[in-house]
Amino acid sequence: MDRDRPRLRPVDLAREHGLSTQAVRNYEADGVLPPSERTPSGHRVYRPHHADALRAFLALVPAHGHAAAAAIMCAVNGGDVDTALALVDDGHARLREDRETLAAVDRAVRDLADRAAAPDAMPAGLLVGSLAHRLGVHPATLRKWERAGLVVPARDPRTGYRTYTTADVRDARLVHQLRRGGYPLAQIAPVVEQIRAAGGVEALTAALAGWRRRLTARGRAMLVAAAALAACVPDDPDTAPGTWPPRPPG
């Protein structure tokens, strides 16, 4: 019976996580928490499954982001476990894609560093045809990369021809490596920007290490979030929608 289950106030849920009671009420209004019971005087009464829902949501945020965490909990609280688990799957798929992108960038950066140190490293001042030939691509491909902002050569003021500096050659090599790995231009653009902002391949090595640490932290957060979310999902997959979690008496 409900009277035998622990009764929790908004402040009890809030205090555990250093939140305000208004934040708890907002989470309920947004569907992150199941609907509360009300006393005859209108005060909210929460139960242990509300505390479980709040713990799960706060664990999901660093793992999947605030919007996805809210969507997952809204689905769970609405009895739509399949949708909630599909959203969790999406988060894991994105993490895997990010890991694959990091690995590809790491390989490309190592290749760039090795080629820059090679005796036959490309000189600066190459024209579009020469660079295209050395990369093994069509000149139109380089122009396409230029329109996408990935390689931005200067123009010779006398001839109007494109001329590629050492940094331009570096960017073109990186784009070429990632395109060969199957990455679309939209995903390559931020990587090129990172190298430019870092000031070169060597400086990007530290940035890649930081990126790897963030991915590892996200993966660990997903493990923690999965355990917390399990407390909010019924053991029986055939539980009828709308009957979990327990609802307050009508």
Side-chain angles (χ1 to χ4, degrees), residues 9-15 18-33 38 44 46 54 57:
R9 301 165 300 167
V11 68
D12 296 322
L13 271 64
R15 189 175 291 146
L19 300 173
S20 67
T21 54
Q22 184 59 52
V24 173
R25 290 191 287 268
N26 291 343
Y27 287 146
E28 181 186 348
D30 292 340
V32 168
L33 301 183
R38 295 284 184 146
R44 288 175 171 82
Y46 293 112
L54 183 56
F57 170 70

Side-chain angles (χ1 to χ4, degrees), residues 39-57:
T39 66
S41 59
H43 292 97
R44 288 175 171 82
V45 174
Y46 293 112
R47 301 291 184 176
H49 69 271
H50 292 97
D52 288 340
L54 183 56
R55 292 187 196 104
F57 170 70

Side-chain angles (χ1 to χ4, degrees), residues 199-215:
V201 174
E202 297 79 9
L204 186 62
T205 302
L208 290 177
W211 187 358
R212 186 173 290 105
R213 286 193 296 271
R214 289 192 296 274
L215 292 182

Side-chain angles (χ1 to χ4, degrees), residues 34-35 49 66 150 183 201 209 245:
H49 69 271
H66 191 281
L150 301 175
Y183 290 91
V201 174

Side-chain angles (χ1 to χ4, degrees), residues 119-180:
D120 61 344
M122 289 190 197
L126 290 174
L127 300 181
V128 62
S130 299
L131 179 57
H133 176 72
R134 289 172 180 252
L135 290 177
V137 301
H138 196 278
T141 299
L142 285 173
R143 289 191 283 269
K144 180 180 179 180
W145 295 350
E146 182 180 346
R147 289 193 296 272
L150 301 175
V151 183
V152 189
R155 295 275 186 162
D156 186 302
R158 294 173 295 117
T159 64
Y161 293 158
R162 296 172 176 84
T163 59
Y164 294 83
T165 65
T166 301
D168 295 329
V169 171
R170 175 202 66 204
D171 294 347
R173 280 197 184 280
L174 178 62
V175 175
H176 184 46
Q177 286 287 107
L178 294 177
R179 287 295 291 148
R180 288 175 61 186

